[in-house]
Amino acid sequence: MTPHNDLRETAKRAMENSRSPFSGLKVGAALKAKSGKVFAGANIETASLGLTICAERVALFSAIAGGEREFEEIAIVSSADEPIPPCGACRQVMWELCGDIRVSTHDLKGASESFKLSELLPFPFEKF
Ligand code: THU
């Protein structure tokens, strides 16, 4: 299995832990740090809908809390019928904490898209 497929499989396993009773959309993410460690996340929804957190930020915040500061790539897997792009909030947070990493996104039938984060967020806010 290539490292790329490995990351996708980790994201797919994390997706099974999604708590998404409101949208019904399951999302998993796997973020590879430069140390080689992989951090997984799933989307978590609560009844106060605006407090929902995306899979990508769960994975990234877990990695930061684990002491990681440099990253290579994130894979996203969802139950949607085509690969979903990361939301705008996640793009901004990933830009600030990860820089220009590779972002791949996959559905469960095997379709994929892959981007550099700078393609998804071409004019980022980065002051302060
Ligand atoms: N979601 C993610 O986890 N990642 C994204 O990039 C897009 C959206 C989640 C949030 C919410 O639980 C559900 O998908 C529907 O928006």
Side-chain angles (χ1 to χ4, degrees), residues 40-102:
N43 59 326
I44 302 169
E45 298 177 354
T46 58
S48 183
L49 298 175
L51 300 182
T52 290
I53 184 163
C54 295
E56 295 90 326
R57 275 174 290 151
V58 172
L60 177 50
F61 292 162
S62 167
I64 294 288
E68 303 291 343
R69 291 296 184 270
E70 293 194 301
F71 302 97
E72 279 179 1
E73 183 177 355
I74 189 167
I76 303 159
V77 175
S78 89
S79 60
D81 55 12
E82 58 189 20
I84 60 161
C87 79
C90 288
R91 293 180 200 199
Q92 177 67 29
V93 173
M94 288 194 287
W95 182 263
E96 290 189 40
L97 300 183
C98 304
D100 199 9
I101 59 168
R102 180 148 294 278

Side-chain angles (χ1 to χ4, degrees), residues 2 5 10 14 23 39 56 73 91 94 106-107 114 116:
T2 65
N5 284 342
T10 302
S23 74
F39 294 81
E56 295 90 326
E73 183 177 355
R91 293 180 200 199
M94 288 194 287
H106 313 262
D107 68 18
S114 175
K116 292 299 294 280

